[in-house]
Amino acid sequence: MKILLLEDDTVLADVLIDFLQEEYSVTHTYSMKKALQLSEENSFDLYIFDINVPDGDGISLLKELRSFSDETPAIFITAYHDTNHLKKAFESGANDFIKKPFDLEELTQRIENIKRHFGLSSLVEISSGIVFDTQNHIVTKEDTPQHITNKESACLQYLYKNRHRVVSVDEILQNLWEYDEMPSADAVRTLIKELRKSVGKEHILNIRGEGYRFE
């Protein structure tokens, strides 16, 4: 699980990095502008944003990311305790909110809840009778395991994570390949074709002229 952490408090940032890196891959920055750049260049599973940072605020950052159809789940951490900031955080597209000071175990439980809700655990029941092992790249359907390629695994995980909406071919290309290695749209069609063999074509719908949606 890859986490982007935006936190300008150096002491808290060090504590969070040491703690989170025991279980997750963590990329940290103190800057809102740098966080935006990192989110454009990499694919993350979770954002953890402080509300106030020197060059902006996490709420504005998340609003901008959501305007680009970035649905990566986000947790805000903040020293504010008023309902106004809580309201603004959720209106910007936040999925959870934690107030300073907080216990690290509380953060763990909130992350685990996000993982369950968005199918980010290593074993995910993506549909009745179909279990997806994201770590070992195995789809088990009707008790029959089938290995899939790393890229197929990444594509299936992305489609499932964004299952409430249609995902365009361009979006899949941008999130699964580096810019200088990006193939043609045919590569996505090949991935989808192979994935349908593993999970069933009824679970990956082709929305003509728009893209694909996991059902």
Side-chain angles (χ1 to χ4, degrees), residues 148-175:
I148 60 177
T149 68
N150 291 3
K151 196 65 76 175
E152 288 167 4
S153 179
C155 184
L156 179 57
Q157 191 168 4
Y158 192 82
L159 288 172
Y160 182 76
K161 185 171 71 172
N162 295 279
R163 60 192 179 278
H164 59 286
R165 65 183 182 88
V166 177
V167 177
S168 70
V169 171
D170 284 345
E171 184 177 342
I172 294 173
L173 286 169
Q174 291 167 11
N175 282 277

Side-chain angles (χ1 to χ4, degrees), residues 48-127:
I48 300 178
F49 291 163
D50 192 1
I51 286 186
N52 278 337
V53 289
D55 61 345
D57 66 274
I59 290 177
S60 297
L61 171 60
L62 189 59
K63 280 183 178 178
E64 186 165 357
L65 291 171
R66 294 293 189 249
S67 72
F68 296 137
S69 298
D70 185 337
E71 298 296 331
T72 302
I75 299 174
F76 277 119
I77 51 178
T78 180
Y80 291 114
H81 286 252
D82 60 287
T83 56
N84 184 46
H85 283 89
L86 177 65
K87 180 181 178 182
K88 288 182 177 178
F90 284 115
E91 286 177 345
S92 71
N95 302 93
D96 207 344
F97 189 98
I98 189 168
K99 299 175 182 178
K100 300 176 185 178
F102 56 86
D103 189 281
L104 291 174
E105 180 57 29
E106 179 183 356
L107 179 60
T108 296
Q109 293 306 314
R110 292 177 184 274
I111 292 174
E112 288 302 311
N113 184 59
I114 290 285
K115 286 171 64 177
R116 285 191 295 271
H117 184 74
F118 285 87
L120 299 174
S121 299
S122 59
L123 288 177
V124 185
E125 187 175 8
I126 58 176
S127 185

